[in-house]
Amino acid sequence: MLIKVLGSAAGGGLPQWNCNGRNSADTRKGVAGLRARTQASVAVSADGSDWVLLNASPDLRQQINETPELQPATDKGPRNSPIKAVVLTNGDVDAIAGLLTLREAQPLIVYGSQRVLDVLASNSIFDVLDASLVARRPMALGRAFAVEGPRGPVGIEVEAFPVPGKVALYLEDAAKAAEGFGTQEGDTLGLKVTGTASNRHFFYVPNCAKLDDGMRKKLKGAPLLFFDGTLYTNDEMIVQGLMNKTGDRIGHMNMSGANGTMAIFKDLEVKRKVFIHINNSNPALREGSPERAAVEASGWEVAYDGMAIRI
């Protein structure tokens, strides 16, 4: 399989349009050690021809224009696309808004939990995806399935599994604050992605609130993992004056600390570990920073737009 990171940032990207925090401001200035980043999405292909998107970020049009493999072929008519399917891990804006980019009468299949498909169904703007061309298929959790495009299987198998997290901020029910703001199973998913022919696999978990026993068991010894790297410290957005919410409040683990991702993964023997969905407040985005050095010393990598991995 070929894996291409289309976007590596959390919601808002880097720089965020209305943010003058240090990372965003310095990225605009062209300060060395910072790369501009679009919002998180990954493309996967078993044969280099048919591609599956893992989430569809609001930056998808830009990402396609910057990724030749996702552009229309010159020998297949005036309109075509190698994108055959989209697999959604949650209903956040930065995971589903890019679906609207795929509206120009192009056949494909959208997979999601029933919870996330219900979010699409409840908002009529997603009806611009012509139902006669764009099928929506629910994923049964914990059960692997062959991903299909409009003309059949594309050589990739996906198993979706529940991940500790929370409902998207715009879907929160304040009356249920004590119960997780209405969060239910299916709101946040991880994916095990396997090449049918090679039987090689990796995990994609761009959102995660904590690592429970089930997650530990599933990820132990994984050959490759893309994992939630939203924040370096739980309170960094508050400290930087960017948002009045902690990582715990918005459903994300932090990289550092005794209960952070780097510490918790030390004994899980994951062979290659890559942080993705990195917020513009995160100091580990800065090459050469103490935080980046700590990340790399712990055996983790920081994803970047255009990163390519073949397994």
Side-chain angles (χ1 to χ4, degrees), residues 6 53 56-65 98-99 101-102:
L6 306 180
L53 304 184
S57 91
D59 300 314
L60 182 56
R61 179 181 177 276
Q62 175 185 343
Q63 292 166 347
I64 292 171
N65 286 339
L99 292 174
T101 298
L102 305 176

Side-chain angles (χ1 to χ4, degrees), residues 89-105:
T89 67
N90 60 71
D92 286 333
V93 171
D94 54 340
I96 65 173
L99 292 174
L100 301 178
T101 298
L102 305 176
R103 68 188 182 276
E104 274 89 7

Side-chain angles (χ1 to χ4, degrees), residues 103 105-109 126-136:
R103 68 188 182 276
Q106 183 64 44
L108 67 143
I109 295 176
F126 289 101
D127 290 343
V128 299
L129 296 168
D130 186 342
S132 68
L133 295 171
V134 181
R136 301 179 188 179

Side-chain angles (χ1 to χ4, degrees), residues 145-183:
F145 65 94
V147 177
E148 293 187 348
R151 296 185 177 180
V154 296
I156 289 174
E157 184 177 88
V158 165
E159 177 194 342
F161 52 91
V163 170
K166 64 177 297 302
V167 70
L169 289 173
Y170 71 94
L171 295 173
E172 286 185 351
D173 184 344
K176 298 179 180 178
E179 304 170 2
F181 297 94
T183 300

